[in-house]
Amino acid sequence: MPHPLPRKSCDLLPSKLSAYVEDTAPGHGALRPARSWLHSDAPSLSLNGPWRFRLSPTASVAAGFAAEGFDDQGWDSIPVPSHWVLEGDGAHGGPIYTNIQFPFPIDPPHVPDENPTGDYRRHFDLPAAWSDADRVVLRFDGVESLFKVWVNGVEIGSASGSRLAHEFDVTSAVRPGDNVVAVRVHQWSAASYVEDQDQWWLPGIFRDVTLLARPAGGIEDVWLRTGFDNGHGRIDAEVVADPAAFPVTLRIPELGIAHVWATAADVGPLDVAGVEPWSAEQPRLYDATVSSAAESIALRVGFRTVEIRGDRFLVNGRRVVFHGVNRHEAHPERGRVFDEEHAREDLARMKRFNINAIRTSHYPPHPRLLDLADELGFWVVLECDLETHGFDKVGWVGNPSDDPAWREACLDRIERTVERDKNHPSIVIWSLGNEAGTGGNLAAMSAWVHARDAERPVHYEGDYTGEYTDIYSRMYASVSETERIGADGIRSALLNCTPAQSARQRTKPFLLCEYAHAMGNGPGAFDQYEALVHEYPRLHGGFVWEWRDHGILATAPDGTPYYAYGGDFAEVVHDGNFVMDGMLLSDDVPTPSLHEYKAVVQPVRFTFDGDKVEFTNLRHSADTSDLRFCWRVEHDGTAVDSGDLEVPVVTAGESGRVTLPGITVSPDAETWLTVEAVLATGTAWAPEGHVIATAQLDCSTRRPVPAVRSRRDWRPDDGTLTLGIADFIDGSLARLDGRAVTGPRLELFRAPTDNDESPSDRLQDSDASIAGVSSADLWRRDGLHRLTTRRISVERASDALRTVDKVSAADSALSVTVESIWSLEDGELEVRVEIEPSLGWRTVWPRIGVRFDLPDGEAPVDGAEWFGLGPHESYPDSMRAAHTGRFSSTVRDLSVAYARPQETGHRSRLRRLTLASGDSEVLRIAAIPDTHGRRPGFTLSRHTPQQIAQAEHPFELPDSTTSHLIIDAAQHGLGSRACGPDVWPEYALRPEARTIRLRIAAG
């Protein structure tokens, strides 16, 4: 317990203010011990709402503002909860984004004198009935980063731990009627050194402030620990209360429990028959109350047993596979201010995308979020508010994780984490924090957790050798390294481990606490990681980094709204758009990666075998009785038949087989069978019919690819002619069906993705990349974004035109030969482009494609309908969410509005494409497979790759008067190199000869 400070006047000298700002102690004064965040019927008064606010540039201002009679009429008004940097349209400073860097000198525990300090004041009326209260408590659920409290001019105390709850006893300072509370908040403090999470620095009182009347004979704390074993439940109760509170009664009406504990000594375990277990799939909760004569506490109890058995992590005796996300609290306008309606929809969206787990990166969330996780069903890794990542820059010298001076602060943080949230069945793992190196303070935190909660295991990724944690955890391990961790019989050393330590870590469950960095367009390889989880039981899945982008809504100089990232607020140091790394955009729009993830981790696996399909239930514990299985048959993407499959109920981990319906196969069209598992009835998170899992089977009759007609009558020509709907001038396409069109122009460049721009050395054993040099830098080095063309020849034959071009870049001897042959084939216009690189190319290419430019004229190309893979974009290592069908879209919606413009919009395995202007068809294009059966993809955009690459934000893209169609023979994979492995070699695009063959008709 911190030692109480004597009550004294509110004036403090600047030197004393500086001393407490740089104090490593977690708090002072009338700070109460940590306890559960409970739903009590005892009186409470919310102090949320408008407060008077003044911002000072330093911490050295005198504290006379806390006096009762202080005149604050000249101050601003600010809402509580909020962040002051997100209020006042920039009048109170701006947010700062860093990933690892400290935005102040590394001089622990000191912080600069330039320390923005916010002073808050508000009045409240204390009800007269509260005079009977045993104590009056003032609770703060979240303040960044250090704050001091006064009530009626009396200093109460101070505390740090931004995402932790703090309660102060203010009994002796309050009075019936009008009272004034004053709070001083410092942006920087000693605590900032242990709160260096990858997120925005957002100071202020950003969670609820509540006044609590604690009744005489009330219940101070409750913990209902539960267990489950084959239909039998266990409740191991802990009740903290004065002797006068007893008798205390536990009631669970649905289970017929009304158990009375006459004294504190009587409180003990209860066995309960006939209970249903809680799991993330079936979040069965029972309403319970724990009551004394003076107070009743409401809880929702879920029965489940967490254990580690060998190298398996089990809940209720069954292995858990975490299909999880790392979740920060982030909103583009409110920052980390909690909004329950938005949070509920956020979690419901996770469920709709087959996400079953949350790691609360890297701090405890608002406590109501955990109520929602209990209710909707998630496995939760609850993480402590601790990260010291910036010390990596100085070789971890002075790291608080191993400095005895910080021991009390570290222990206080884990105690407040565990005590606040210990009643939640959704929490199955405690995590000590993130990226804080290692050291004795972390070991002490782990020891405290083990002593306090023997059931739930302790996680911390930085304990590479497993000295004090129960789970082996890593972030961004490659696919091959993850396999080496999971496979039996492997003796290779693990990261930072001796052989003996490696062997010990392989006896534990393994968790990827972060993987598949979802920054911008990407990541790839979800399916490769998922395959390993099913092959090696030691691997228990992981948590994608991360759930959502952290963009802050801002306005461009021309008034255009956009989502700002690091550097957009004139920060001195920042980490750019690295904060935009979620599977959900800042405006809640799912990215293609989220659809890909849903498809990869779907909990039902379909296996086609002749006229039968096998259904495997991959769930933890739920059977398939909540699902309906349906099918449909499509000819060239048009539905021709559909129905339901009579599938027997399949228990978790088991399989069932049924006979497929009779399928009418068209001789003239592709025939595709799609089977889906959908919700049979609506749930709290999705309506009836919501698709859980899907698979497709190609039932098509194989048809021959039209042969290439050989011509021998080529002769030199000026290249000015008409072929069908195509007009040529000097060998170059000028018009198609009367409208201006140019192309095909060789396009090897794509606007680099965030993964393309990363210089990471995690190269997936690629022989076409250079450690420490980004792929994008290599592409720019080779001039792929500035190719020039030299025409070698123009020839003509009967109903045909052939051009040969040499394409290369300034200051480079590397080149690509492009032969384009236009011809009339069976009355149709065909173009065949043969692309062949010279020798000497040493790096991967972003794409091999050709570009057509279509100026707007009187009818801009603004839409497309296609038969191929869709509806979302797809790339070689991100294809599982794509299915074969007929789709349509506007040009605008073909692209994803990534916060930093980059490659987007590619649709793979194109068969047919119709370009449209409004409701009118402009051109129809059929893609013919090459001699290897490979089909091209397409991208349709209002900007060229070069224009997109020049923009740092969407509003910086130039106005466009042209639509650009790129037909790609191939695209490079996505990978997750922005923070993780490079593209897997199988999906890396090396320079090679390719053919693109299209037939074009008028709309």
Side-chain angles (χ1 to χ4, degrees), residues 281-357:
E281 294 165 356
Q282 297 171 306
R284 183 67 163 93
L285 294 171
Y286 294 89
D287 290 326
T289 58
V290 177
S291 305
S292 70
E295 182 179 19
S296 182
I297 304 294
L299 304 99
R300 305 188 77 185
V301 176
F303 292 90
R304 52 74 181 134
T305 293
V306 178
E307 63 179 322
I308 291 177
R309 195 181 302 163
D311 60 0
R312 307 290 194 271
F313 177 85
L314 311 175
V315 174
N316 297 333
R318 295 187 63 86
R319 171 176 174 259
V320 173
V321 174
F322 294 91
H323 293 136
V325 291
N326 283 274
R327 180 192 180 274
H328 268 290
E329 292 189 316
H331 187 275
E333 296 173 86
R334 297 187 297 271
R336 284 189 284 278
V337 175
F338 183 74
D339 179 276
E340 184 164 333
E341 181 180 355
H342 186 260
R344 179 180 287 275
E345 174 53 29
D346 223 26
L347 267 59
R349 185 182 292 111
M350 291 181 189
K351 296 285 286 189
R352 293 195 293 272
F353 280 89
N354 292 333
I355 291 166
N356 70 4

Side-chain angles (χ1 to χ4, degrees), residues 222-242:
V222 174
W223 186 4
L224 298 183
R225 313 184 200 200
T226 65
F228 178 82
D229 183 13
N230 194 29
H232 293 273
R234 186 193 75 252
I235 299 175
D236 189 0
E238 178 183 290
V239 178
V240 178
D242 289 336

